Amino acid sequence: MNIALILPALWGGGAERAASELSYHLAKKNTLYIFTRYKTKNDYPFCGTIIKLSSLGSLKQTYISDAIKIYSEAKQLANLKERYNISVSISFMEEMNIPNILSKGKDRVIASVRTTLSGRKDLQGLYYNKVFLNFVYNRADAVVVLSRYGKADMIRSYGIKRELLKIIPNHIRQMKDVKEEGEWNYGNKVILSIARISEVKQQQLMVECLEQIKEKVPEAKLLLIGNNATPYASRIAKYVKEKRLGDAVKFIGQVDNVTYYLQHSKVFINLSKAEGFPNAVLEAMTEGVPVVALDAPGANREILAPEIRQKHIEKAVHGKYGVLCPCCDEDIRDDHYTEIKKEIVSEIIQMLENGEQWTIYAQKAKERSLHFTADRVNVLWDQLIENN
């Protein structure tokens, strides 16, 4: 069977990494093509023939420019699908989901939504217009979401037909050996974050929490792994300098081998405003690192506390597999933000200082990670491709 994976770029974040890993699985039994806008030296490894789409260049984002880009890429995809006799087309993220669906010919079209769209107020333009998404997505053969929350969100917020939605979570990727790494210089009270440094990930909130944590745990350090070449990262770096936290907050940048940092960290934090299915949380749990996260739109609750049924939590919850705190937004500096920040600080301090609690959650984290192995997740993809 000829299968196409379609995505904007071959590097960057969790969606691209998931597509990379899926390519190696699908290529075992199929002929695989990867259609993408960009190809760079930083690309994740992909198995298959990579074909670059023609670019219209840099256009100022408006509904009109988005429509022009969608038309151009849908036309290119239609031609490529016919040329390479594509049977199944699997796209990732809205910028490629939409032209994939609109270029549908004889192929079966599967669109994969990689975040909780209604929770991403930063995503603007025609690609994220609710009426347009409803019109387009309901014409796909299947729409993959990452969690039960994601499925409910697509039904509730975008009117996507229930029967089209299929839940396929991310799986845990193979972690690298760390024997070649050098001496650890950050101590044994490390709080770790692995995410691109951006407003939606709320690293500013993490730094503010660390300020208060250090009052009780002076040796605590916050390590931020992720792309730090952004204006938002520069603002945080300036704040760190003003507060004289340079010895406690470390911008590690992007690294290939996160295992080294995970195996030396005490707590992993995820304070995103919204998530799809956080790969880094699963990676931390695989290494037995307890997780403190926000109960944000997305899969954090499904991973850490699947037993919770109420719509919103008002206080921090010690879930079966990790700790959840109520959601907050660092851009809204009200009493709620202040109170939630105190709760986050308290929960992280407990995890740093309470050895018994840490041991329980370290064991539970490893137990939960076994639910998201590659074998389990790949079976779901195979069933979707073969049975739809």
mmCIF file of all heavy atoms in Angstrom, residues 175-209:
data_model
loop_
_atom_site.group_PDB
_atom_site.id
_atom_site.type_symbol
_atom_site.label_atom_id
_atom_site.label_comp_id
_atom_site.label_asym_id
_atom_site.label_seq_id
_atom_site.Cartn_x
_atom_site.Cartn_y
_atom_site.Cartn_z
ATOM 1 N N MET A 175 14.261 5.719 24.491
ATOM 2 C CA MET A 175 15.185 6.645 25.132
ATOM 3 C C MET A 175 16.628 6.208 24.903
ATOM 4 O O MET A 175 16.941 5.024 24.842
ATOM 5 C CB MET A 175 14.896 6.719 26.634
ATOM 6 C CG MET A 175 13.452 7.065 26.953
ATOM 7 S SD MET A 175 12.944 8.689 26.351
ATOM 8 C CE MET A 175 13.575 9.713 27.677
ATOM 9 N N LYS A 176 17.527 7.177 24.786
ATOM 10 C CA LYS A 176 18.925 6.886 24.500
ATOM 11 C C LYS A 176 19.681 6.507 25.766
ATOM 12 O O LYS A 176 19.332 6.907 26.868
ATOM 13 C CB LYS A 176 19.591 8.107 23.857
ATOM 14 C CG LYS A 176 19.069 8.444 22.471
ATOM 15 C CD LYS A 176 19.838 9.612 21.889
ATOM 16 C CE LYS A 176 19.337 9.958 20.492
ATOM 17 N NZ LYS A 176 20.072 11.099 19.910
ATOM 18 N N ASP A 177 20.758 5.756 25.563
ATOM 19 C CA ASP A 177 21.656 5.412 26.652
ATOM 20 C C ASP A 177 22.380 6.679 27.111
ATOM 21 O O ASP A 177 22.647 7.579 26.324
ATOM 22 C CB ASP A 177 22.663 4.370 26.167
ATOM 23 C CG ASP A 177 23.463 3.763 27.302
ATOM 24 O OD1 ASP A 177 23.148 4.057 28.468
ATOM 25 O OD2 ASP A 177 24.400 2.993 27.004
ATOM 26 N N VAL A 178 22.739 6.741 28.410
ATOM 27 C CA VAL A 178 23.382 7.954 28.929
ATOM 28 C C VAL A 178 24.801 7.697 29.419
ATOM 29 O O VAL A 178 25.399 8.544 30.046
ATOM 30 C CB VAL A 178 22.558 8.558 30.096
ATOM 31 C CG1 VAL A 178 21.196 8.973 29.623
ATOM 32 C CG2 VAL A 178 22.439 7.586 31.267
ATOM 33 N N LYS A 179 25.357 6.559 29.103
ATOM 34 C CA LYS A 179 26.672 6.212 29.630
ATOM 35 C C LYS A 179 27.755 7.192 29.213
ATOM 36 O O LYS A 179 28.719 7.404 29.932
ATOM 37 C CB LYS A 179 27.048 4.793 29.178
ATOM 38 C CG LYS A 179 26.210 3.706 29.820
ATOM 39 C CD LYS A 179 26.632 2.321 29.340
ATOM 40 C CE LYS A 179 25.766 1.240 29.987
ATOM 41 N NZ LYS A 179 26.142 -0.110 29.494
ATOM 42 N N GLU A 180 27.584 7.806 28.034
ATOM 43 C CA GLU A 180 28.639 8.673 27.533
ATOM 44 C C GLU A 180 28.597 10.077 28.124
ATOM 45 O O GLU A 180 29.467 10.895 27.889
ATOM 46 C CB GLU A 180 28.538 8.769 26.001
ATOM 47 C CG GLU A 180 27.401 9.622 25.459
ATOM 48 C CD GLU A 180 26.056 8.913 25.456
ATOM 49 O OE1 GLU A 180 25.992 7.758 25.941
ATOM 50 O OE2 GLU A 180 25.066 9.493 24.984
ATOM 51 N N GLU A 181 27.562 10.402 28.887
ATOM 52 C CA GLU A 181 27.421 11.757 29.413
ATOM 53 C C GLU A 181 28.394 12.022 30.560
ATOM 54 O O GLU A 181 28.867 11.124 31.233
ATOM 55 C CB GLU A 181 25.980 11.985 29.894
ATOM 56 C CG GLU A 181 24.935 11.859 28.796
ATOM 57 C CD GLU A 181 25.003 12.983 27.778
ATOM 58 O OE1 GLU A 181 25.706 13.974 28.033
ATOM 59 O OE2 GLU A 181 24.357 12.858 26.724
ATOM 60 N N GLY A 182 28.673 13.315 30.787
ATOM 61 C CA GLY A 182 29.660 13.714 31.789
ATOM 62 C C GLY A 182 29.079 13.841 33.185
ATOM 63 O O GLY A 182 27.971 13.394 33.481
ATOM 64 N N GLU A 183 29.846 14.499 34.032
ATOM 65 C CA GLU A 183 29.468 14.662 35.436
ATOM 66 C C GLU A 183 28.266 15.593 35.570
ATOM 67 O O GLU A 183 28.134 16.585 34.857
ATOM 68 C CB GLU A 183 30.656 15.236 36.209
ATOM 69 C CG GLU A 183 30.411 15.403 37.697
ATOM 70 C CD GLU A 183 31.600 15.994 38.419
ATOM 71 O OE1 GLU A 183 32.644 16.205 37.755
ATOM 72 O OE2 GLU A 183 31.499 16.262 39.636
ATOM 73 N N TRP A 184 27.391 15.257 36.520
ATOM 74 C CA TRP A 184 26.198 16.073 36.778
ATOM 75 C C TRP A 184 26.564 17.206 37.726
ATOM 76 O O TRP A 184 27.123 16.980 38.793
ATOM 77 C CB TRP A 184 25.103 15.207 37.393
ATOM 78 C CG TRP A 184 23.823 15.927 37.698
ATOM 79 C CD1 TRP A 184 23.362 16.304 38.913
ATOM 80 C CD2 TRP A 184 22.831 16.343 36.752
ATOM 81 N NE1 TRP A 184 22.147 16.935 38.809
ATOM 82 C CE2 TRP A 184 21.786 16.971 37.480
ATOM 83 C CE3 TRP A 184 22.719 16.248 35.364
ATOM 84 C CZ2 TRP A 184 20.660 17.488 36.871
ATOM 85 C CZ3 TRP A 184 21.589 16.773 34.756
ATOM 86 C CH2 TRP A 184 20.584 17.383 35.503
ATOM 87 N N ASN A 185 26.211 18.437 37.357
ATOM 88 C CA ASN A 185 26.643 19.603 38.134
ATOM 89 C C ASN A 185 25.500 20.434 38.700
ATOM 90 O O ASN A 185 25.716 21.575 39.123
ATOM 91 C CB ASN A 185 27.514 20.513 37.250
ATOM 92 C CG ASN A 185 28.792 19.837 36.819
ATOM 93 O OD1 ASN A 185 29.482 19.231 37.634
ATOM 94 N ND2 ASN A 185 29.116 19.928 35.526
ATOM 95 N N TYR A 186 24.276 19.869 38.731
ATOM 96 C CA TYR A 186 23.124 20.667 39.129
ATOM 97 C C TYR A 186 22.516 20.258 40.469
ATOM 98 O O TYR A 186 21.467 20.779 40.854
ATOM 99 C CB TYR A 186 22.050 20.607 38.040
ATOM 100 C CG TYR A 186 22.535 21.102 36.696
ATOM 101 C CD1 TYR A 186 22.725 20.222 35.645
ATOM 102 C CD2 TYR A 186 22.812 22.449 36.498
ATOM 103 C CE1 TYR A 186 23.164 20.667 34.405
ATOM 104 C CE2 TYR A 186 23.264 22.905 35.266
ATOM 105 C CZ TYR A 186 23.443 22.012 34.222
ATOM 106 O OH TYR A 186 23.891 22.456 33.008
ATOM 107 N N GLY A 187 23.125 19.339 41.176
ATOM 108 C CA GLY A 187 22.603 18.939 42.473
ATOM 109 C C GLY A 187 21.478 17.922 42.382
ATOM 110 O O GLY A 187 21.173 17.403 41.304
ATOM 111 N N ASN A 188 20.854 17.654 43.534
ATOM 112 C CA ASN A 188 19.814 16.611 43.589
ATOM 113 C C ASN A 188 18.426 17.160 43.880
ATOM 114 O O ASN A 188 17.537 16.427 44.302
ATOM 115 C CB ASN A 188 20.191 15.550 44.625
ATOM 116 C CG ASN A 188 20.269 16.115 46.032
ATOM 117 O OD1 ASN A 188 20.111 17.321 46.243
ATOM 118 N ND2 ASN A 188 20.517 15.256 47.007
ATOM 119 N N LYS A 189 18.218 18.444 43.655
ATOM 120 C CA LYS A 189 16.898 19.061 43.844
ATOM 121 C C LYS A 189 16.489 19.765 42.547
ATOM 122 O O LYS A 189 16.095 20.925 42.537
ATOM 123 C CB LYS A 189 16.923 20.060 44.998
ATOM 124 C CG LYS A 189 17.308 19.474 46.343
ATOM 125 C CD LYS A 189 16.219 18.576 46.912
ATOM 126 C CE LYS A 189 16.598 18.113 48.324
ATOM 127 N NZ LYS A 189 15.584 17.224 48.909
ATOM 128 N N VAL A 190 16.567 19.050 41.452
ATOM 129 C CA VAL A 190 16.325 19.645 40.135
ATOM 130 C C VAL A 190 14.860 19.498 39.731
ATOM 131 O O VAL A 190 14.285 18.405 39.801
ATOM 132 C CB VAL A 190 17.233 19.001 39.076
ATOM 133 C CG1 VAL A 190 16.778 19.375 37.667
ATOM 134 C CG2 VAL A 190 18.673 19.442 39.285
ATOM 135 N N ILE A 191 14.291 20.606 39.301
ATOM 136 C CA ILE A 191 12.953 20.655 38.707
ATOM 137 C C ILE A 191 13.164 20.811 37.209
ATOM 138 O O ILE A 191 13.845 21.747 36.770
ATOM 139 C CB ILE A 191 12.154 21.845 39.272
ATOM 140 C CG1 ILE A 191 12.109 21.784 40.804
ATOM 141 C CG2 ILE A 191 10.749 21.871 38.680
ATOM 142 C CD1 ILE A 191 11.840 23.136 41.449
ATOM 143 N N LEU A 192 12.598 19.917 36.428
ATOM 144 C CA LEU A 192 12.896 19.881 34.996
ATOM 145 C C LEU A 192 11.661 20.192 34.160
ATOM 146 O O LEU A 192 10.554 19.727 34.452
ATOM 147 C CB LEU A 192 13.426 18.500 34.610
ATOM 148 C CG LEU A 192 13.843 18.296 33.147
ATOM 149 C CD1 LEU A 192 15.053 19.167 32.804
ATOM 150 C CD2 LEU A 192 14.157 16.816 32.880
ATOM 151 N N SER A 193 11.879 20.964 33.100
ATOM 152 C CA SER A 193 10.851 21.199 32.078
ATOM 153 C C SER A 193 11.468 20.907 30.719
ATOM 154 O O SER A 193 12.592 21.321 30.438
ATOM 155 C CB SER A 193 10.365 22.651 32.128
ATOM 156 O OG SER A 193 9.649 22.978 30.941
ATOM 157 N N ILE A 194 10.715 20.173 29.895
ATOM 158 C CA ILE A 194 11.141 19.924 28.513
ATOM 159 C C ILE A 194 10.013 20.398 27.606
ATOM 160 O O ILE A 194 8.959 19.758 27.519
ATOM 161 C CB ILE A 194 11.432 18.436 28.261
ATOM 162 C CG1 ILE A 194 12.495 17.914 29.228
ATOM 163 C CG2 ILE A 194 11.882 18.222 26.818
ATOM 164 C CD1 ILE A 194 12.706 16.411 29.144
ATOM 165 N N ALA A 195 10.208 21.519 26.947
ATOM 166 C CA ALA A 195 9.187 22.099 26.066
ATOM 167 C C ALA A 195 9.799 23.288 25.348
ATOM 168 O O ALA A 195 10.731 23.918 25.858
ATOM 169 C CB ALA A 195 7.965 22.562 26.864
ATOM 170 N N ARG A 196 9.285 23.584 24.166
ATOM 171 C CA ARG A 196 9.729 24.813 23.516
ATOM 172 C C ARG A 196 9.388 25.979 24.440
ATOM 173 O O ARG A 196 8.342 25.982 25.108
ATOM 174 C CB ARG A 196 9.066 24.977 22.154
ATOM 175 C CG ARG A 196 7.585 25.243 22.200
ATOM 176 C CD ARG A 196 6.984 25.304 20.798
ATOM 177 N NE ARG A 196 5.582 25.665 20.833
ATOM 178 C CZ ARG A 196 4.586 24.825 21.074
ATOM 179 N NH1 ARG A 196 4.847 23.543 21.315
ATOM 180 N NH2 ARG A 196 3.334 25.241 21.075
ATOM 181 N N ILE A 197 10.267 26.952 24.503
ATOM 182 C CA ILE A 197 10.051 28.073 25.422
ATOM 183 C C ILE A 197 9.135 29.078 24.720
ATOM 184 O O ILE A 197 9.550 29.829 23.839
ATOM 185 C CB ILE A 197 11.390 28.693 25.859
ATOM 186 C CG1 ILE A 197 12.213 27.623 26.590
ATOM 187 C CG2 ILE A 197 11.156 29.898 26.756
ATOM 188 C CD1 ILE A 197 13.550 28.080 27.082
ATOM 189 N N SER A 198 7.879 29.047 25.116
ATOM 190 C CA SER A 198 6.862 29.870 24.460
ATOM 191 C C SER A 198 5.756 30.185 25.453
ATOM 192 O O SER A 198 5.629 29.534 26.499
ATOM 193 C CB SER A 198 6.274 29.137 23.253
ATOM 194 O OG SER A 198 5.606 27.962 23.659
ATOM 195 N N GLU A 199 4.951 31.189 25.094
ATOM 196 C CA GLU A 199 3.900 31.652 26.008
ATOM 197 C C GLU A 199 2.944 30.545 26.420
ATOM 198 O O GLU A 199 2.512 30.477 27.569
ATOM 199 C CB GLU A 199 3.119 32.795 25.355
ATOM 200 C CG GLU A 199 3.851 34.126 25.313
ATOM 201 C CD GLU A 199 4.755 34.269 24.090
ATOM 202 O OE1 GLU A 199 5.020 33.244 23.411
ATOM 203 O OE2 GLU A 199 5.195 35.406 23.812
ATOM 204 N N VAL A 200 2.605 29.656 25.499
ATOM 205 C CA VAL A 200 1.633 28.614 25.827
ATOM 206 C C VAL A 200 2.198 27.614 26.844
ATOM 207 O O VAL A 200 1.449 26.996 27.605
ATOM 208 C CB VAL A 200 1.167 27.889 24.548
ATOM 209 C CG1 VAL A 200 2.260 26.978 23.983
ATOM 210 C CG2 VAL A 200 -0.102 27.093 24.799
ATOM 211 N N LYS A 201 3.521 27.486 26.926
ATOM 212 C CA LYS A 201 4.146 26.548 27.869
ATOM 213 C C LYS A 201 4.386 27.168 29.241
ATOM 214 O O LYS A 201 4.687 26.464 30.207
ATOM 215 C CB LYS A 201 5.465 26.029 27.300
ATOM 216 C CG LYS A 201 5.314 25.301 25.958
ATOM 217 C CD LYS A 201 4.451 24.059 26.084
ATOM 218 C CE LYS A 201 4.366 23.300 24.766
ATOM 219 N NZ LYS A 201 3.500 22.098 24.846
ATOM 220 N N GLN A 202 4.324 28.492 29.348
ATOM 221 C CA GLN A 202 4.332 29.214 30.623
ATOM 222 C C GLN A 202 5.600 28.993 31.461
ATOM 223 O O GLN A 202 5.537 28.773 32.667
ATOM 224 C CB GLN A 202 3.085 28.881 31.444
ATOM 225 C CG GLN A 202 1.780 29.227 30.738
ATOM 226 C CD GLN A 202 0.626 29.481 31.672
ATOM 227 O OE1 GLN A 202 0.068 30.575 31.688
ATOM 228 N NE2 GLN A 202 0.227 28.491 32.450
ATOM 229 N N GLN A 203 6.767 29.123 30.827
ATOM 230 C CA GLN A 203 8.000 29.023 31.605
ATOM 231 C C GLN A 203 8.199 30.205 32.554
ATOM 232 O O GLN A 203 8.899 30.069 33.560
ATOM 233 C CB GLN A 203 9.209 28.895 30.674
ATOM 234 C CG GLN A 203 9.375 27.513 30.055
ATOM 235 C CD GLN A 203 8.671 27.344 28.732
ATOM 236 O OE1 GLN A 203 7.890 28.201 28.321
ATOM 237 N NE2 GLN A 203 8.939 26.246 28.026
ATOM 238 N N GLN A 204 7.575 31.353 32.253
ATOM 239 C CA GLN A 204 7.643 32.476 33.185
ATOM 240 C C GLN A 204 7.021 32.090 34.523
ATOM 241 O O GLN A 204 7.566 32.389 35.591
ATOM 242 C CB GLN A 204 6.918 33.697 32.610
ATOM 243 C CG GLN A 204 6.832 34.899 33.548
ATOM 244 C CD GLN A 204 8.165 35.546 33.816
ATOM 245 O OE1 GLN A 204 8.994 35.623 32.918
ATOM 246 N NE2 GLN A 204 8.382 36.010 35.029
ATOM 247 N N LEU A 205 5.904 31.405 34.482
ATOM 248 C CA LEU A 205 5.263 30.914 35.702
ATOM 249 C C LEU A 205 6.195 29.955 36.442
ATOM 250 O O LEU A 205 6.284 29.990 37.678
ATOM 251 C CB LEU A 205 3.945 30.219 35.343
ATOM 252 C CG LEU A 205 3.216 29.454 36.446
ATOM 253 C CD1 LEU A 205 2.895 30.362 37.626
ATOM 254 C CD2 LEU A 205 1.946 28.804 35.897
ATOM 255 N N MET A 206 6.902 29.109 35.698
ATOM 256 C CA MET A 206 7.839 28.178 36.337
ATOM 257 C C MET A 206 8.914 28.929 37.120
ATOM 258 O O MET A 206 9.251 28.565 38.251
ATOM 259 C CB MET A 206 8.504 27.295 35.283
ATOM 260 C CG MET A 206 7.557 26.394 34.515
ATOM 261 S SD MET A 206 8.453 25.422 33.263
ATOM 262 C CE MET A 206 7.079 24.698 32.359
ATOM 263 N N VAL A 207 9.460 29.988 36.507
ATOM 264 C CA VAL A 207 10.520 30.758 37.166
ATOM 265 C C VAL A 207 9.987 31.450 38.418
ATOM 266 O O VAL A 207 10.643 31.480 39.470
ATOM 267 C CB VAL A 207 11.122 31.777 36.180
ATOM 268 C CG1 VAL A 207 12.101 32.706 36.898
ATOM 269 C CG2 VAL A 207 11.824 31.057 35.032
ATOM 270 N N GLU A 208 8.781 32.001 38.320
ATOM 271 C CA GLU A 208 8.176 32.657 39.490
ATOM 272 C C GLU A 208 7.943 31.654 40.618
ATOM 273 O O GLU A 208 8.118 31.977 41.798
ATOM 274 C CB GLU A 208 6.867 33.331 39.083
ATOM 275 C CG GLU A 208 7.066 34.514 38.148
ATOM 276 C CD GLU A 208 5.749 35.104 37.673
ATOM 277 O OE1 GLU A 208 4.709 34.833 38.304
ATOM 278 O OE2 GLU A 208 5.763 35.826 36.663
ATOM 279 N N CYS A 209 7.538 30.439 40.254
ATOM 280 C CA CYS A 209 7.373 29.395 41.271
ATOM 281 C C CYS A 209 8.712 29.069 41.928
ATOM 282 O O CYS A 209 8.791 28.878 43.151
ATOM 283 C CB CYS A 209 6.784 28.140 40.647
ATOM 284 S SG CYS A 209 5.037 28.262 40.209
#
